[in-house]
Amino acid sequence: MARCRGMCAVVLLLVLVGAKENEEDCSLVQHSRKSSFEHEEKLKQEGRPASVPLLETAEKRDDGYHFDLFVKAGPGVTITGLPFDRSSDADAPYGCGSGYLKCSCTYTSDGFRMTGYGTQGTMTALDFTCHDVIYSMPGHRPDTCTCNYTAALSYWGKARRFSQECSPKQCYKFEDYPGAPGGHVQDLERFHHPNGGGDAEKVIDWSFSVQAEALGSVVPETPAAVLGGWKPVASGAALSIKQSVTWSSTQTKASAKEVAEAFTAGSKYTFSSTESVEVPEVGKGEATQSVEVSLSSTTSWKNTITETMASTNGGAQEVTCNPAPCPSGTSYQWQTSVEKLGKWGALFDSCFFVCMPNQGQHPKCPFGTCCTGKSSDQCSTCTVQWCSESDPDCPFSDRSFKVAC
Ligand SMILES: *[C@@H]1O[C@H](CO)[C@@H](O)[C@H](O)[C@H]1NC(C)=O
Protein backbone atom coordinates (compact mmCIF):
# COMPACT_ATOMS: atom_id res chain seq x y z
CA MET A 1 0.00 0.00 0.00
CA ALA A 2 2.74 2.41 1.09
CA ARG A 3 4.80 1.41 -1.92
CA CYS A 4 1.91 2.05 -4.21
CA ARG A 5 1.52 5.51 -2.70
CA GLY A 6 5.17 6.21 -3.49
CA MET A 7 4.73 4.89 -7.01
CA CYS A 8 1.69 6.99 -7.52
CA ALA A 9 3.53 10.08 -6.37
CA VAL A 10 6.26 9.38 -8.90
CA VAL A 11 3.71 8.89 -11.65
CA LEU A 12 1.96 12.07 -10.63
CA LEU A 13 5.24 13.94 -10.64
CA LEU A 14 6.01 12.61 -14.11
CA VAL A 15 2.60 13.72 -15.31
CA LEU A 16 3.18 17.17 -13.87
CA VAL A 17 6.62 17.44 -15.44
CA GLY A 18 5.16 16.22 -18.70
CA ALA A 19 2.46 18.83 -18.56
CA LYS A 20 4.97 21.53 -17.82
CA GLU A 21 7.09 20.43 -20.76
CA ASN A 22 4.07 20.42 -23.01
CA GLU A 23 3.25 23.90 -21.93
CA GLU A 24 6.74 25.01 -22.77
CA ASP A 25 6.55 23.26 -26.11
CA CYS A 26 3.41 25.15 -26.79
CA SER A 27 4.98 28.42 -25.88
CA LEU A 28 7.94 27.68 -28.12
CA VAL A 29 5.60 26.97 -31.00
CA GLN A 30 3.74 30.10 -30.09
CA HIS A 31 6.94 32.07 -30.14
CA SER A 32 8.02 30.77 -33.52
CA ARG A 33 4.79 31.94 -35.10
CA LYS A 34 5.70 35.12 -36.84
CA SER A 35 3.60 38.21 -36.69
CA SER A 36 5.21 40.55 -39.16
CA PHE A 37 5.45 43.14 -36.42
CA GLU A 38 7.52 41.00 -34.11
CA HIS A 39 9.47 39.57 -37.00
CA GLU A 40 10.57 42.96 -38.31
CA GLU A 41 11.35 43.96 -34.81
CA LYS A 42 13.57 40.93 -34.45
CA LEU A 43 15.40 41.66 -37.71
CA LYS A 44 16.04 45.21 -36.60
CA GLN A 45 17.59 43.98 -33.40
CA GLU A 46 19.87 41.45 -35.05
CA GLY A 47 22.67 43.96 -35.61
CA ARG A 48 22.99 44.36 -31.89
CA PRO A 49 24.53 41.86 -29.54
CA ALA A 50 21.75 40.06 -27.72
CA SER A 51 21.30 41.82 -24.45
CA VAL A 52 21.15 39.02 -21.95
CA PRO A 53 20.15 41.15 -18.95
CA LEU A 54 17.20 42.58 -20.88
CA LEU A 55 16.04 39.12 -21.87
CA GLU A 56 16.27 37.90 -18.31
CA THR A 57 14.36 40.82 -16.94
CA ALA A 58 11.77 40.46 -19.63
CA GLU A 59 11.48 36.75 -19.10
CA LYS A 60 10.76 37.13 -15.43
CA ARG A 61 8.17 39.80 -16.08
CA ASP A 62 6.43 38.38 -19.11
CA ASP A 63 2.99 38.36 -17.61
CA GLY A 64 3.68 41.99 -16.76
CA TYR A 65 2.98 42.81 -20.41
CA HIS A 66 -0.41 44.34 -20.16
CA PHE A 67 -2.66 46.37 -22.43
CA ASP A 68 -6.03 47.63 -21.30
CA LEU A 69 -8.34 49.93 -23.23
CA PHE A 70 -11.75 50.99 -22.02
CA VAL A 71 -13.93 52.75 -24.59
CA LYS A 72 -16.86 54.44 -22.93
CA ALA A 73 -19.88 54.72 -25.21
CA GLY A 74 -20.56 58.44 -25.53
CA PRO A 75 -24.03 60.00 -25.74
CA GLY A 76 -26.19 58.23 -28.33
CA VAL A 77 -23.50 55.63 -29.04
CA THR A 78 -23.81 51.90 -28.38
CA ILE A 79 -20.97 49.41 -28.71
CA THR A 80 -21.61 45.72 -29.24
CA GLY A 81 -19.62 42.88 -30.69
CA LEU A 82 -18.00 39.52 -30.44
CA PRO A 83 -16.08 38.25 -27.42
CA PHE A 84 -12.40 37.45 -27.78
CA ASP A 85 -11.94 34.40 -30.02
CA ARG A 86 -10.09 31.75 -28.01
CA SER A 87 -10.69 29.01 -30.56
CA SER A 88 -7.66 29.78 -32.71
CA ASP A 89 -4.36 31.52 -32.39
CA ALA A 90 -5.23 34.01 -35.14
CA ASP A 91 -6.35 36.64 -32.67
CA ALA A 92 -3.42 36.25 -30.30
CA PRO A 93 -0.13 35.45 -31.98
CA TYR A 94 1.64 36.42 -28.73
CA GLY A 95 0.74 36.31 -25.09
CA CYS A 96 -2.73 35.92 -23.58
CA GLY A 97 -1.65 32.95 -21.46
CA SER A 98 -2.53 29.31 -21.75
CA GLY A 99 -5.81 28.85 -23.63
CA TYR A 100 -5.68 32.60 -24.33
CA LEU A 101 -7.56 33.12 -21.09
CA LYS A 102 -5.68 36.28 -20.22
CA CYS A 103 -7.14 38.27 -23.11
CA SER A 104 -10.69 39.45 -23.44
CA CYS A 105 -12.97 41.72 -25.44
CA THR A 106 -16.04 42.59 -23.38
CA TYR A 107 -19.11 44.72 -23.86
CA THR A 108 -21.27 46.32 -21.20
CA SER A 109 -23.99 48.95 -21.26
CA ASP A 110 -21.16 51.43 -20.55
CA GLY A 111 -18.95 50.52 -23.46
CA PHE A 112 -16.22 48.18 -24.56
CA ARG A 113 -13.04 46.92 -22.96
CA MET A 114 -10.08 45.06 -24.42
CA THR A 115 -7.64 43.61 -21.93
CA GLY A 116 -4.65 41.39 -22.46
CA TYR A 117 -1.66 40.10 -20.52
CA GLY A 118 1.46 38.32 -21.62
CA THR A 119 1.99 34.67 -20.83
CA GLN A 120 3.87 33.88 -17.67
CA GLY A 121 7.20 32.09 -18.01
CA THR A 122 7.37 32.17 -21.80
CA MET A 123 9.31 34.25 -24.24
CA THR A 124 6.40 36.15 -25.66
CA ALA A 125 5.12 39.64 -25.14
CA LEU A 126 1.62 40.55 -26.22
CA ASP A 127 -0.19 40.85 -29.54
CA PHE A 128 -3.95 40.36 -29.66
CA THR A 129 -6.99 41.50 -31.59
CA CYS A 130 -10.61 42.29 -30.84
CA HIS A 131 -12.66 41.62 -33.96
CA ASP A 132 -15.89 43.14 -35.18
CA VAL A 133 -16.48 45.77 -32.56
CA ILE A 134 -19.70 47.41 -33.74
CA TYR A 135 -20.40 51.08 -33.10
CA SER A 136 -23.89 52.35 -33.61
CA MET A 137 -25.01 55.99 -33.46
CA PRO A 138 -28.47 56.42 -34.91
CA GLY A 139 -29.18 59.84 -36.36
CA HIS A 140 -25.65 60.34 -37.70
CA ARG A 141 -24.10 59.65 -41.06
CA PRO A 142 -22.48 57.15 -41.04
CA ASP A 143 -24.58 55.64 -38.26
CA THR A 144 -22.49 52.51 -37.79
CA CYS A 145 -19.04 51.06 -38.31
CA THR A 146 -17.36 47.76 -37.49
CA CYS A 147 -13.79 47.78 -36.24
CA ASN A 148 -10.87 45.46 -35.54
CA TYR A 149 -8.46 46.57 -32.84
CA THR A 150 -5.00 45.14 -32.45
CA ALA A 151 -2.75 45.93 -29.52
CA ALA A 152 0.85 44.74 -29.54
CA LEU A 153 3.84 45.15 -27.26
CA SER A 154 7.19 43.99 -28.56
CA TYR A 155 9.27 41.57 -26.59
CA TRP A 156 12.50 42.54 -28.26
CA GLY A 157 12.44 46.32 -28.14
CA LYS A 158 10.31 49.24 -27.22
CA ALA A 159 8.03 48.97 -30.22
CA ARG A 160 4.31 48.91 -29.58
CA ARG A 161 1.26 49.28 -31.69
CA PHE A 162 -2.43 50.00 -31.49
CA SER A 163 -4.34 49.79 -34.75
CA GLN A 164 -7.95 50.59 -35.49
CA GLU A 165 -9.30 49.21 -38.75
CA CYS A 166 -12.89 50.16 -39.36
CA SER A 167 -15.39 49.74 -42.12
CA PRO A 168 -16.57 52.31 -43.10
CA LYS A 169 -13.29 53.95 -42.21
CA GLN A 170 -14.50 56.36 -39.54
CA CYS A 171 -17.72 56.76 -37.63
CA TYR A 172 -16.56 57.77 -34.14
CA LYS A 173 -13.87 59.87 -32.56
CA PHE A 174 -12.14 59.27 -29.25
CA GLU A 175 -12.41 62.03 -26.67
CA ASP A 176 -11.23 62.45 -23.10
CA TYR A 177 -13.83 62.25 -20.41
CA PRO A 178 -13.64 63.58 -16.88
CA GLY A 179 -12.40 61.27 -14.17
CA ALA A 180 -11.26 58.56 -16.57
CA PRO A 181 -8.63 56.25 -15.09
CA GLY A 182 -5.44 55.50 -17.04
CA GLY A 183 -4.12 57.25 -20.12
CA HIS A 184 -6.28 59.55 -22.20
CA VAL A 185 -6.63 60.10 -25.95
CA GLN A 186 -3.22 61.74 -26.43
CA ASP A 187 -1.55 58.98 -24.46
CA LEU A 188 -3.17 56.39 -26.69
CA GLU A 189 -1.88 58.25 -29.74
CA ARG A 190 1.60 58.34 -28.20
CA PHE A 191 1.36 54.66 -27.39
CA HIS A 192 1.32 53.77 -31.06
CA HIS A 193 5.04 53.56 -31.71
CA PRO A 194 5.63 50.75 -34.20
CA ASN A 195 9.33 51.48 -34.63
CA GLY A 196 10.24 51.63 -30.98
CA GLY A 197 12.40 54.39 -29.56
CA GLY A 198 10.89 57.40 -27.87
CA ASP A 199 10.80 56.80 -24.16
CA ALA A 200 13.99 56.26 -22.24
CA GLU A 201 12.63 53.20 -20.49
CA LYS A 202 10.67 50.29 -21.80
CA VAL A 203 7.18 50.34 -20.36
CA ILE A 204 5.19 47.14 -20.56
CA ASP A 205 2.03 47.94 -18.60
CA TRP A 206 -0.46 50.24 -20.32
CA SER A 207 -4.01 51.23 -19.68
CA PHE A 208 -6.26 53.81 -21.29
CA SER A 209 -9.78 55.15 -21.03
CA VAL A 210 -11.38 57.10 -23.83
CA GLN A 211 -14.89 58.03 -24.83
CA ALA A 212 -16.27 57.28 -28.29
CA GLU A 213 -18.42 60.03 -29.74
CA ALA A 214 -20.28 60.16 -33.03
CA LEU A 215 -18.17 61.71 -35.75
CA GLY A 216 -20.54 62.02 -38.69
CA SER A 217 -22.96 64.84 -39.35
CA VAL A 218 -26.37 64.76 -37.74
CA VAL A 219 -29.06 63.58 -40.12
CA PRO A 220 -32.15 65.75 -39.88
CA GLU A 221 -35.06 63.99 -38.22
CA THR A 222 -37.60 62.76 -40.71
CA PRO A 223 -41.11 63.73 -39.71
CA ALA A 224 -43.44 60.92 -38.74
CA ALA A 225 -46.03 59.59 -41.15
CA VAL A 226 -49.33 59.14 -39.34
CA LEU A 227 -52.22 57.20 -40.81
CA GLY A 228 -55.55 57.00 -39.02
CA GLY A 229 -58.59 54.93 -39.80
CA TRP A 230 -61.62 53.12 -38.50
CA LYS A 231 -61.80 49.36 -38.13
CA PRO A 232 -65.16 47.56 -37.89
CA VAL A 233 -65.06 45.56 -34.65
CA ALA A 234 -68.55 44.52 -33.68
CA SER A 235 -72.11 44.55 -34.78
CA GLY A 236 -74.96 45.03 -32.38
CA ALA A 237 -74.27 43.94 -28.84
CA ALA A 238 -71.14 45.30 -27.23
CA LEU A 239 -68.02 43.13 -27.00
CA SER A 240 -64.71 43.42 -25.27
CA ILE A 241 -62.18 44.97 -27.61
CA LYS A 242 -58.44 45.07 -27.23
CA GLN A 243 -56.51 48.26 -26.80
CA SER A 244 -52.98 47.64 -27.93
CA VAL A 245 -49.71 48.83 -29.39
CA THR A 246 -48.22 46.59 -32.10
CA TRP A 247 -44.64 47.48 -32.96
CA SER A 248 -43.32 46.90 -36.46
CA SER A 249 -40.29 45.27 -34.89
CA THR A 250 -39.76 44.30 -31.29
CA GLN A 251 -36.16 45.45 -31.67
CA THR A 252 -37.11 49.02 -32.38
CA LYS A 253 -39.72 49.96 -29.83
CA ALA A 254 -39.92 53.63 -29.00
CA SER A 255 -40.35 55.13 -25.55
CA ALA A 256 -43.44 57.16 -24.63
CA LYS A 257 -41.28 60.26 -24.91
CA GLU A 258 -40.08 59.34 -28.41
CA VAL A 259 -43.64 58.64 -29.48
CA ALA A 260 -44.82 62.00 -28.14
CA GLU A 261 -41.89 63.73 -29.84
CA ALA A 262 -42.62 62.08 -33.18
CA PHE A 263 -45.44 64.52 -33.84
CA THR A 264 -43.23 67.40 -34.85
CA ALA A 265 -44.07 70.08 -37.36
CA GLY A 266 -43.87 68.46 -40.77
CA SER A 267 -45.52 65.20 -39.78
CA LYS A 268 -47.93 64.08 -42.46
CA TYR A 269 -51.39 62.98 -41.36
CA THR A 270 -53.60 60.94 -43.59
CA PHE A 271 -56.96 59.27 -43.12
CA SER A 272 -57.69 55.87 -44.56
CA SER A 273 -61.19 56.52 -45.85
CA THR A 274 -62.14 52.99 -46.82
CA GLU A 275 -59.97 50.41 -45.05
CA SER A 276 -58.65 49.63 -41.63
CA VAL A 277 -55.03 50.41 -40.87
CA GLU A 278 -52.22 47.88 -40.85
CA VAL A 279 -49.04 47.66 -38.82
CA PRO A 280 -46.59 49.80 -40.77
CA GLU A 281 -43.62 48.13 -42.37
CA VAL A 282 -40.79 50.51 -41.64
CA GLY A 283 -39.31 51.82 -44.86
CA LYS A 284 -42.14 50.54 -47.08
CA GLY A 285 -44.21 53.71 -47.17
CA GLU A 286 -47.99 53.69 -47.09
CA ALA A 287 -49.99 51.85 -49.68
CA THR A 288 -53.52 52.29 -48.42
CA GLN A 289 -55.82 54.70 -50.18
CA SER A 290 -55.75 57.70 -47.92
CA VAL A 291 -56.65 61.35 -47.75
CA GLU A 292 -54.37 64.02 -46.36
CA VAL A 293 -55.82 65.62 -43.25
CA SER A 294 -55.38 69.29 -42.37
CA LEU A 295 -53.17 69.65 -39.32
CA SER A 296 -55.74 71.54 -37.26
CA SER A 297 -57.97 68.46 -37.30
CA THR A 298 -55.38 66.13 -35.88
CA THR A 299 -54.71 67.35 -32.33
CA SER A 300 -57.03 64.77 -30.81
CA TRP A 301 -55.26 61.95 -32.73
CA LYS A 302 -52.14 62.47 -30.72
CA ASN A 303 -54.13 62.10 -27.54
CA THR A 304 -55.51 58.72 -28.63
CA ILE A 305 -51.93 57.58 -29.25
CA THR A 306 -50.40 58.87 -26.02
CA GLU A 307 -53.38 57.48 -24.11
CA THR A 308 -52.97 54.06 -25.73
CA MET A 309 -49.23 54.16 -25.13
CA ALA A 310 -49.77 54.97 -21.44
CA SER A 311 -52.56 52.54 -20.58
CA THR A 312 -50.90 49.58 -22.32
CA ASN A 313 -47.50 50.53 -20.92
CA GLY A 314 -46.03 50.80 -24.40
CA GLY A 315 -47.77 47.65 -25.57
CA ALA A 316 -46.48 45.52 -22.70
CA GLN A 317 -49.91 44.93 -21.20
CA GLU A 318 -53.26 44.22 -22.75
CA VAL A 319 -56.24 46.36 -21.96
CA THR A 320 -59.78 45.60 -22.94
CA CYS A 321 -62.49 48.15 -23.42
CA ASN A 322 -66.18 48.03 -24.20
CA PRO A 323 -67.66 50.14 -26.95
CA ALA A 324 -71.03 51.63 -26.15
CA PRO A 325 -73.94 49.50 -27.40
CA CYS A 326 -74.60 50.01 -31.09
CA PRO A 327 -77.94 48.32 -31.73
CA SER A 328 -78.49 47.21 -35.34
CA GLY A 329 -75.27 48.92 -36.35
CA THR A 330 -71.52 48.41 -36.41
CA SER A 331 -68.95 49.72 -33.94
CA TYR A 332 -65.73 51.10 -35.41
CA GLN A 333 -62.51 51.34 -33.44
CA TRP A 334 -60.05 54.18 -34.06
CA GLN A 335 -56.56 53.04 -35.08
CA THR A 336 -53.45 54.97 -35.93
CA SER A 337 -50.25 53.80 -37.47
CA VAL A 338 -47.16 55.88 -36.92
CA GLU A 339 -43.96 55.45 -38.84
CA LYS A 340 -40.78 57.23 -37.96
CA LEU A 341 -38.81 56.45 -41.09
CA GLY A 342 -35.92 54.10 -40.51
CA LYS A 343 -36.44 54.17 -36.73
CA TRP A 344 -39.67 52.61 -35.56
CA GLY A 345 -43.23 52.01 -36.50
CA ALA A 346 -46.32 50.95 -34.59
CA LEU A 347 -50.03 50.45 -34.83
CA PHE A 348 -52.07 51.94 -32.01
CA ASP A 349 -55.48 50.40 -31.46
CA SER A 350 -57.26 52.86 -29.21
CA CYS A 351 -60.28 52.66 -26.93
CA PHE A 352 -62.31 55.11 -29.00
CA PHE A 353 -65.32 53.97 -30.97
CA VAL A 354 -68.12 55.28 -33.11
CA CYS A 355 -71.38 53.55 -33.90
CA MET A 356 -72.44 53.49 -37.55
CA PRO A 357 -75.81 52.39 -38.83
CA ASN A 358 -76.18 49.10 -40.71
CA GLN A 359 -73.27 46.89 -41.62
CA GLY A 360 -70.17 48.46 -43.00
CA GLN A 361 -71.13 52.06 -43.63
CA HIS A 362 -67.64 53.43 -43.19
CA PRO A 363 -67.23 56.55 -40.98
CA LYS A 364 -66.77 59.69 -43.08
CA CYS A 365 -64.45 61.68 -40.81
CA PRO A 366 -61.27 61.04 -38.83
CA PHE A 367 -61.36 60.79 -35.04
CA GLY A 368 -62.13 64.14 -33.42
CA THR A 369 -64.13 65.54 -36.34
CA CYS A 370 -67.22 63.27 -36.27
CA CYS A 371 -70.68 64.58 -35.50
CA THR A 372 -71.35 62.16 -32.66
CA GLY A 373 -74.68 63.55 -31.49
CA LYS A 374 -76.83 60.71 -32.79
CA SER A 375 -75.90 57.56 -30.83
CA SER A 376 -76.85 55.19 -33.67
CA ASP A 377 -74.98 57.21 -36.33
CA GLN A 378 -71.88 58.89 -34.92
CA CYS A 379 -69.73 59.64 -37.96
CA SER A 380 -71.68 60.23 -41.16
CA THR A 381 -71.10 63.96 -41.08
CA CYS A 382 -68.14 66.00 -39.89
CA THR A 383 -67.69 69.01 -37.59
CA VAL A 384 -65.02 70.59 -39.81
CA GLN A 385 -63.84 70.33 -43.38
CA TRP A 386 -60.78 68.23 -42.57
CA CYS A 387 -59.53 67.67 -46.14
CA SER A 388 -59.19 69.58 -49.39
CA GLU A 389 -62.11 69.32 -51.81
CA SER A 390 -59.55 69.17 -54.65
CA ASP A 391 -58.55 65.70 -53.41
CA PRO A 392 -60.90 63.27 -55.16
CA ASP A 393 -60.78 60.93 -52.12
CA CYS A 394 -61.92 63.72 -49.81
CA PRO A 395 -65.66 63.41 -49.12
CA PHE A 396 -65.92 67.21 -49.48
CA SER A 397 -64.95 66.87 -53.16
CA ASP A 398 -68.62 65.95 -53.54
CA ARG A 399 -70.20 69.41 -53.12
CA SER A 400 -73.32 67.95 -51.60
CA PHE A 401 -71.27 66.67 -48.64
CA LYS A 402 -71.32 69.54 -46.15
CA VAL A 403 -70.07 70.33 -42.65
CA ALA A 404 -73.19 69.77 -40.59
CA CYS A 405 -74.04 68.30 -37.22
C1 LIG B 1 -11.72 42.47 -39.36
O1 LIG B 1 -11.24 41.15 -39.28
C2 LIG B 1 -12.03 40.20 -39.97
C3 LIG B 1 -11.47 38.82 -39.70
O2 LIG B 1 -10.11 38.77 -39.94
C4 LIG B 1 -12.03 40.55 -41.45
O3 LIG B 1 -12.86 39.64 -42.14
C5 LIG B 1 -12.57 41.95 -41.62
O4 LIG B 1 -12.50 42.33 -42.98
C6 LIG B 1 -11.76 42.93 -40.79
N1 LIG B 1 -12.41 44.24 -40.86
C7 LIG B 1 -11.74 45.37 -41.12
C8 LIG B 1 -12.54 46.60 -41.13
O5 LIG B 1 -10.54 45.40 -41.33
Side-chain angles (χ1 to χ4, degrees), residues 90-91 129-132 146-149 164-168:
D91 283 348
T129 298
C130 286
H131 271 298
D132 299 307
T146 303
C147 302
N148 295 340
Y149 295 136
Q164 310 172 51
E165 305 266 338
C166 299
S167 167

Side-chain angles (χ1 to χ4, degrees), residues 71 137 170-175 185 210-216:
V71 182
M137 52 220 72
Q170 280 186 309
C171 75
Y172 61 83
K173 58 180 186 292
F174 285 159
E175 297 283 358
V185 177
V210 296
Q211 172 159 299
E213 290 175 9
L215 178 69

Side-chain angles (χ1 to χ4, degrees), residues 268-271 291-298 301 366 386-387:
K268 191 182 170 201
Y269 291 82
T270 50
F271 174 58
V291 190
E292 185 152 3
V293 178
S294 63
L295 201 63
S296 56
S297 306
T298 60
W301 294 30
W386 54 269
C387 52

Side-chain angles (χ1 to χ4, degrees), residues 92-344:
Y94 291 95
C96 294
S98 147
Y100 309 116
L101 291 171
K102 287 176 160 187
C103 289
S104 62
C105 314
T106 49
Y107 305 85
T108 62
S109 56
D110 267 9
F112 157 75
R113 164 163 267 135
M114 71 185 288
T115 311
Y117 290 88
T119 305
Q120 196 158 23
T122 59
M123 286 176 56
T124 70
L126 183 62
D127 186 344
F128 73 111
T129 298
C130 286
H131 271 298
D132 299 307
V133 182
I134 304 163
Y135 286 79
S136 160
M137 52 220 72
H140 293 264
R141 190 169 290 139
D143 62 358
T144 183
C145 60
T146 303
C147 302
N148 295 340
Y149 295 136
T150 300
L153 290 162
S154 170
Y155 184 79
W156 298 99
K158 284 185 264 178
R160 53 199 194 229
R161 186 161 63 94
F162 175 66
S163 71
Q164 310 172 51
E165 305 266 338
C166 299
S167 167
K169 229 171 166 50
Q170 280 186 309
C171 75
Y172 61 83
K173 58 180 186 292
F174 285 159
E175 297 283 358
D176 292 340
Y177 69 101
H184 297 185
V185 177
Q186 280 203 340
D187 304 305
L188 185 60
E189 281 160 10
R190 274 199 295 267
F191 170 82
H192 183 70
H193 224 308
N195 296 318
D199 312 322
E201 271 188 58
K202 176 168 167 159
V203 180
I204 61 168
D205 186 0
W206 299 87
S207 74
F208 306 93
S209 296
V210 296
Q211 172 159 299
E213 290 175 9
L215 178 69
S217 55
V218 176
V219 180
E221 289 268 313
T222 50
V226 189
L227 175 67
W230 295 103
K231 173 173 119 180
V233 288
S235 292
L239 293 171
S240 277
I241 304 298
K242 234 174 57 189
Q243 181 181 26
S244 60
V245 178
T246 313
W247 298 99
S248 300
S249 150
T250 50
Q251 264 106 58
T252 54
K253 290 182 183 176
S255 67
K257 186 163 169 273
E258 287 172 294
V259 170
E261 283 171 358
F263 308 102
T264 50
S267 293
K268 191 182 170 201
Y269 291 82
T270 50
F271 174 58
S272 173
S273 51
T274 54
E275 292 171 60
S276 45
V277 181
E278 312 260 306
V279 179
E281 268 187 72
V282 173
K284 277 279 167 71
E286 80 213 48
T288 341
Q289 188 185 37
S290 62
V291 190
E292 185 152 3
V293 178
S294 63
L295 201 63
S296 56
S297 306
T298 60
T299 32
S300 52
W301 294 30
K302 293 177 211 169
N303 303 339
T304 69
I305 292 166
T306 45
E307 200 274 328
T308 303
M309 195 65 191
S311 59
T312 63
N313 188 17
Q317 72 196 37
E318 246 183 42
V319 179
T320 54
C321 36
N322 302 300
C326 181
S328 67
T330 303
S331 286
Y332 284 81
Q333 180 181 22
W334 180 248
Q335 314 174 281
T336 321
S337 82
V338 181
E339 188 191 338
K340 189 84 175 155
L341 198 69
K343 285 197 166 171
W344 57 270

Side-chain angles (χ1 to χ4, degrees), residues 41 55 95 102 214 220 399:
E41 196 44 37
L55 276 179
K102 287 176 160 187
R399 294 302 165 119

